[in-house]
Amino acid sequence: MTKRAIIVVDLQNEYLSSGRLPLVGIAKAVSNAACVIDSARTRGDLLIHVRHESSTADAPFFAAGSTNVEIIPTVSPNDDETVIVKQYPNAFRDTGLKAMLDDKGVEEVVVIGAMSHMCIDATSRAAADFGYTVTVVHDACATRDLEFGSKTVQADDVHAAYMSALGGGYGQVVSVDDFLAG
């Protein structure tokens, strides 16, 4: 096994058009994520799937026990792959993620999933702070439009801002094609 782990963050039904938080470009991100996952399985990289779940069934998003918390079938884990459940944007917070990575001798993490401006950002920054080499596959991630005051910030601009920030100080940001070629 390599010393690399692919962390698949929150590619869940909640983000599809049928969910409560549909993301712009989610279909393309899931398709690209599936390519990264397939490649990781072929190379023998450690695959860790992370899914967000609220602590209650009446939560407005990611309600416990709902179909919206399920991982999108296209990128669902194999039986031998770990699934970590989290309740915060940072996949390391109050989970066993760091202990698992350290136990397996992981030195590099590759982060894919949703949402670019929230869980991808928080998880990538935490990974860098813990000393892992971080790669974010930008087109295997998706986000949504955001509001600030009376301004709507388009998803493409949100995504670009967060990817540029991550690439500027926390890790490498690459396309799926470049990642697969490397």
Side-chain angles (χ1 to χ4, degrees):
M1 182 171 294
T2 65
K3 297 202 181 251
R4 175 171 45 200
I6 310 301
I7 303 175
V8 185
V9 181
D10 298 350
L11 287 178
Q12 296 169 254
N13 292 332
E14 191 75 87
Y15 290 134
L16 299 176
S17 60
S18 58
R20 295 180 183 175
L21 284 173
L23 301 184
V24 174
I26 189 65
K28 184 66 173 167
V30 168
S31 175
N32 285 339
C35 292
V36 172
I37 291 166
D38 289 344
S39 173
R41 288 175 178 148
T42 299
R43 287 191 315 256
D45 290 336
L46 178 64
L47 265 164
I48 301 172
H49 301 262
V50 178
R51 68 178 185 84
H52 194 95
E53 185 170 315
S54 297
S55 59
T56 63
D58 62 347
F61 306 107
F62 298 103
S66 73
T67 58
N68 282 349
V69 299
E70 294 174 9
I71 294 173
I72 297 167
T74 307
V75 291
S76 63
N78 286 344
D79 290 340
D80 62 339
E81 294 168 356
T82 300
V83 177
I84 291 178
V85 178
K86 67 177 182 62
Q87 294 183 330
Y88 299 97
N90 174 358
F92 289 92
R93 183 175 172 187
D94 295 343
T95 71
L97 179 56
K98 184 175 184 323
M100 177 183 299
L101 294 175
D102 292 347
D103 182 58
K104 301 284 187 184
V106 170
E107 298 171 356
E108 175 190 358
V109 298
V110 176
V111 182
I112 59 176
M115 292 186 291
S116 306
H117 73 280
M118 187 66 70
C119 300
I120 299 303
D121 180 63
T123 299
S124 298
R125 289 175 187 250
D129 288 346
F130 282 131
Y132 301 106
T133 300
V134 176
T135 300
V136 178
V137 182
H138 70 83
D139 50 355
C141 299
T143 195
R144 63 187 181 92
D145 295 350
L146 296 178
E147 301 289 327
F148 182 73
S150 61
K151 179 174 178 54
T152 298
V153 183
Q154 299 299 308
D156 287 348
D157 294 329
V158 172
H159 184 75
Y162 277 85
M163 293 300 114
S164 65
L166 289 172
Y170 289 92
Q172 182 180 20
V173 177
V174 300
S175 70
V176 69
D177 290 338
D178 288 344
F179 177 76
L180 295 174

